[in-house]
Amino acid sequence: MLDTSPASTVGAAISLACMAPSVHNSQPWRWLVGDRTVHLYADLGRWLPAADPQGRDMVISCGAALHHLRVALGASGHRALVHRLPNPADGDHLAAVEVREGGEPDADLGLAAAIPARRSDRRPFGSWPVPGAFVDELAGAGASHGAQVRHVDPGLRTTVLRAIREADTIQADLPGYATELALWSGARTGADGVPSSNLPAGPAPEGAVARRFSPGELRVRPDDPDGAELLIIATSSDDPLSWLRAGEALSAVTLRAAVLGLASCPLSAPVEVAAPRALLRDAVLDGSAMPQIVLRIGWAPPGQLPRTPRRRLSEVVSMLGE
Ligand SMILES: Cc1cc2nc3c(=O)[nH]c(=O)nc-3n(C[C@H](O)[C@H](O)[C@H](O)COP(=O)(O)O)c2cc1C
């Protein structure tokens, strides 16, 4: 059996994997550890049916954790051989990761070091332009995981804002949506959900590129302009494998952004509702790809954000056969 004590290589790698971003910090993953393989399962008990009726955000979150795991194993001198959706009879079994000795040829220590530093930053970003070379590098990071990363042209930004507003209006009337959002955000303590310390104080200003969480404790000036650039992670198909890949790409892009000194924040609301998603697909992506998640990137304002807590390793890991 692989050793998963927090001090072991595999235990430490799973701890780092659990620092991946997840929708509403739901951490919808379970890890089952065998002799040489770490299995990743979606945890349906943490599915958010009102925001995420198809379970797409849940699988994207697990994809992000899968990529974090690979980066962490690579940095510790191990090679990870990944089998995605290995069991056609069990759709919750998202990946089987064979752990081998002997070093990943393209292990990236910088990316691993970025794992604990990355945050989803909901503050308005600075107005310094993000260099085109950085955007290209982020697009390359996503492409190497089978997803497209499209930069939203300034002329199409208002279309994305329209999709966000439309999603906001539709979701506000969805049965259960407000209750689910309140359950998963705004708490001051605990290891689940988006904590109040990471949510802006005061109501989100009209036209904000943000989900309408309840107000938190982050001090932001409501009239500060947001200099964020918008990216859309998209795939050519729209099935669980594409969602998993999109999550891996999301992880690769946000970690690379952190290495470049850029802040980031995923934004899934406009992709959670059919009509705004279709608008993004047709008007922003020319009908050529399925949007999976929107991402704000840019220069963070001064001041470190607190880390969003995670569940303990013992709550998410079990040994095969136990
Ligand atoms: C699939 C997915 C969807 C997300 N959607 C949003 C969103 O709509 N708005 C938002 O502010 N953050 C969103 N997030 C970010 C999560 O809230 C964040 O990852 C979680 O709270 C953990 O915090 P951290 O990323 O700072 O570690 C999303 C993350 C993922 C993976």
Side-chain angles (χ1 to χ4, degrees):
M1 224 30 102
L2 289 165
D3 181 5
T4 57
S5 61
S8 69
T9 302
V10 172
I14 298 178
S15 283
L16 286 169
C18 293
M19 289 182 185
S22 64
V23 58
H24 294 10
N25 195 31
S26 54
Q27 307 159 66
W29 41 67
R30 285 186 300 119
W31 307 93
L32 210 58
V33 179
D35 275 341
R36 288 181 18 218
T37 305
V38 178
H39 299 271
L40 168 62
Y41 284 81
D43 182 348
L44 261 60
R46 305 193 141 249
W47 169 45
L48 309 175
D52 182 28
Q54 293 175 290
R56 189 188 321 114
D57 287 343
M58 180 176 66
V59 176
I60 291 176
S61 304
C62 290
L66 173 61
H67 178 261
H68 270 51
L69 180 76
R70 288 182 63 191
V71 169
L73 286 171
S76 67
H78 289 73
R79 216 149 39 86
L81 189 65
V82 180
H83 307 275
R84 293 173 184 78
L85 296 167
N87 184 354
D90 183 358
D92 303 340
H93 190 184
L94 297 177
V97 182
E98 278 181 54
V99 181
R100 301 200 172 157
E101 299 291 332
E104 186 73 60
D106 36 296
D108 190 330
L109 298 185
L111 225 51
I115 290 178
R118 183 209 56 81
R119 306 274 188 277
S120 294
D121 194 334
R122 300 178 182 85
R123 300 172 296 177
F125 295 161
S127 55
W128 286 97
V130 175
F134 283 15
V135 172
D136 292 347
E137 198 170 326
L138 298 180
S144 60
H145 293 280
Q148 304 170 30
V149 179
R150 303 271 195 99
H151 181 215
V152 176
D153 188 82
L156 289 170
R157 200 180 166 91
T158 49
T159 310
V160 178
L161 292 178
R162 183 146 65 89
I164 291 170
R165 266 199 307 276
E166 221 175 287
D168 190 43
T169 310
I170 296 170
Q171 287 186 319
D173 289 336
L174 278 180
Y177 179 83
T179 311
E180 187 179 87
L181 195 63
L183 275 174
W184 284 95
S185 65
R188 282 169 199 271
T189 55
D192 289 319
V194 185
S196 155
S197 54
N198 288 67
L199 292 171
E206 252 342 283
V209 189
R211 191 193 289 273
R212 258 175 226 280
F213 288 107
S214 41
E217 298 161 33
L218 269 181
R219 295 200 168 280
V220 292
R221 289 205 298 267
D223 43 359
D224 268 359
D226 181 16
E229 294 289 341
L230 299 179
L231 305 178
I232 300 181
I233 296 182
T235 51
S236 45
S237 303
D238 193 30
D239 49 22
L241 181 59
S242 311
W243 306 341
L244 196 66
R245 291 278 197 190
E248 291 176 73
L250 174 68
S251 165
V253 172
T254 51
L255 291 179
R256 178 60 59 201
V259 169
L260 294 170
L262 289 168
S264 65
C265 189
L267 197 63
S268 50
V271 185
E272 288 161 2
V273 185
R277 189 177 190 210
L279 178 67
L280 293 181
R281 181 196 60 206
D282 297 336
V284 183
L285 303 175
D286 308 319
S288 62
M290 287 307 291
Q292 301 296 354
I293 196 151
V294 178
L295 195 59
R296 294 170 63 241
I297 56 157
W299 303 109
Q304 256 283 26
L305 285 180
R307 181 181 297 169
T308 292
R310 295 295 193 269
R311 290 188 292 159
R312 284 194 306 271
L313 204 55
S314 57
E315 294 175 81
V316 294
V317 175
S318 27
M319 306 308 282
L320 250 178
E322 268 180 8

